[in-house]
Amino acid sequence: MFDVSKWQQIRTLLASLTPAREIRVIAVSKGQGVAEIRAAAEAGVRLFGESYVQEALEKQAQVGRTDLEWHFIGRIQRNKTRLIAAHFHWVHGVTEEGQARRLSEIRAGEGQTPLSVCLQVNISGEASKGGVSPAQLPELAEAVAQMPGVILRGLMAPPAPLLGGDEVTRRHFAALRQQLEWLRAAGHALDTLSMGMSGDYPLALEEGATLLRLGTILFGRREN
């Protein structure tokens, strides 16, 4: 069930931060029902994150609201690219040029407004996590920035390593921020750091996050 009080607490926290900057919250609604999404929308949530394409399309149709912004935050499967390009406003987790090119061609071909894209960076280098390496990031960013139909908005961090505590998590977020700053210095107009989840979002905020991906803290634990 959507926790309205937690949502209000988070909104109050964000409003109190200085220096002031725009920070938005994606309510990660994968595995949640339509009733929960409607309750969140009634409370003022406008951004929703989904990882399973078919599930997300069914929810979009049933919720039936045009004022919501849908973020795809799962692994991009080639056979789902057309649906992702057509039915989402943002895609987090682009990890290779081929993914971005397919999204670009489909979105541009449909004549829709450009799709906002974040590149997923494997900051920790863990083999179990997807993402472009920091060494390969500049080349990928340059390629995506030239594509029609998509707008390169920023970077996305997968979850921080489980071991190591707050200090390791902070270094994880700080390293992604540094990558963003280097890309800006190279001429890319980026405005988004998508990092921070229910268990570590306060640290992400301290390190410059502009998009938080919050699921458990807002909806409770999901079944899948």
Side-chain angles (χ1 to χ4, degrees):
M1 180 177 295
F2 181 74
D3 192 328
V4 176
S5 64
K6 284 291 186 184
W7 167 244
Q8 292 173 339
Q9 290 173 19
I10 292 168
R11 293 181 70 179
T12 299
L13 169 63
L14 298 184
S16 71
L17 293 179
T18 55
R21 67 181 191 273
E22 183 182 16
I23 302 166
R24 302 199 298 162
V25 174
I26 303 169
V28 179
S29 49
K30 63 179 180 179
Q32 303 297 333
V34 172
E36 284 75 18
I37 294 176
R38 285 176 174 157
E42 287 297 317
V45 177
R46 291 296 176 266
L47 282 60
F48 291 89
E50 295 283 339
S51 299
Y52 311 116
V53 176
Q54 290 302 141
E55 175 187 321
L57 298 187
E58 292 173 7
K59 291 176 183 177
Q60 290 175 8
Q62 292 178 49
V63 171
R65 292 183 58 152
T66 60
D67 61 333
L68 306 183
E69 186 174 285
W70 296 90
H71 292 238
F72 186 78
I73 58 175
R75 185 169 66 88
I76 302 171
Q77 296 176 293
R78 186 183 182 93
N79 65 343
K80 297 293 197 308
T81 306
R82 182 168 296 279
L83 293 174
I84 294 170
H87 295 282
F88 287 84
H89 301 91
W90 283 67
V91 173
H92 302 239
V94 169
T95 61
E96 58 186 47
E97 184 176 342
Q99 290 175 344
R101 195 164 300 284
R102 290 192 295 273
L103 292 169
S104 165
E105 291 172 352
I106 294 167
R107 190 80 170 199
E110 295 290 335
Q112 294 178 275
T113 57
L115 181 68
S116 292
V117 167
C118 288
L119 305 181
Q120 180 173 322
V121 186
N122 190 346
I123 287 292
S124 64
E126 295 172 271
S128 61
K129 293 178 180 176
V132 63
S133 70
Q136 296 170 319
L137 177 60
E139 182 179 354
L140 178 59
E142 186 63 33
V144 176
Q146 304 303 317
M147 295 179 187
V150 297
I151 297 178
L152 179 58
R153 297 293 299 271
L155 305 180
M156 176 264 208
L162 293 175
L163 301 178
D166 287 355
E167 192 55 40
V168 169
T169 299
R170 184 183 296 280
R171 289 202 299 268
H172 181 81
F173 293 145
L176 189 74
R177 186 191 69 242
Q178 183 66 71
Q179 294 294 324
L180 186 83
E181 291 172 354
W182 284 335
L183 290 177
R184 283 175 171 167
H188 294 283
L190 307 181
D191 60 7
T192 300
L193 272 177
S194 172
M195 61 187 194
M197 302 170 70
S198 293
D200 57 21
Y201 74 90
L203 291 174
L205 287 172
E206 291 176 11
E207 295 301 331
T210 63
L211 268 180
L212 305 176
R213 309 188 305 271
L214 306 183
T216 302
I217 195 171
L218 295 177
F219 292 105
R221 296 196 176 276
R222 62 182 186 276
E223 295 182 2
N224 60 334

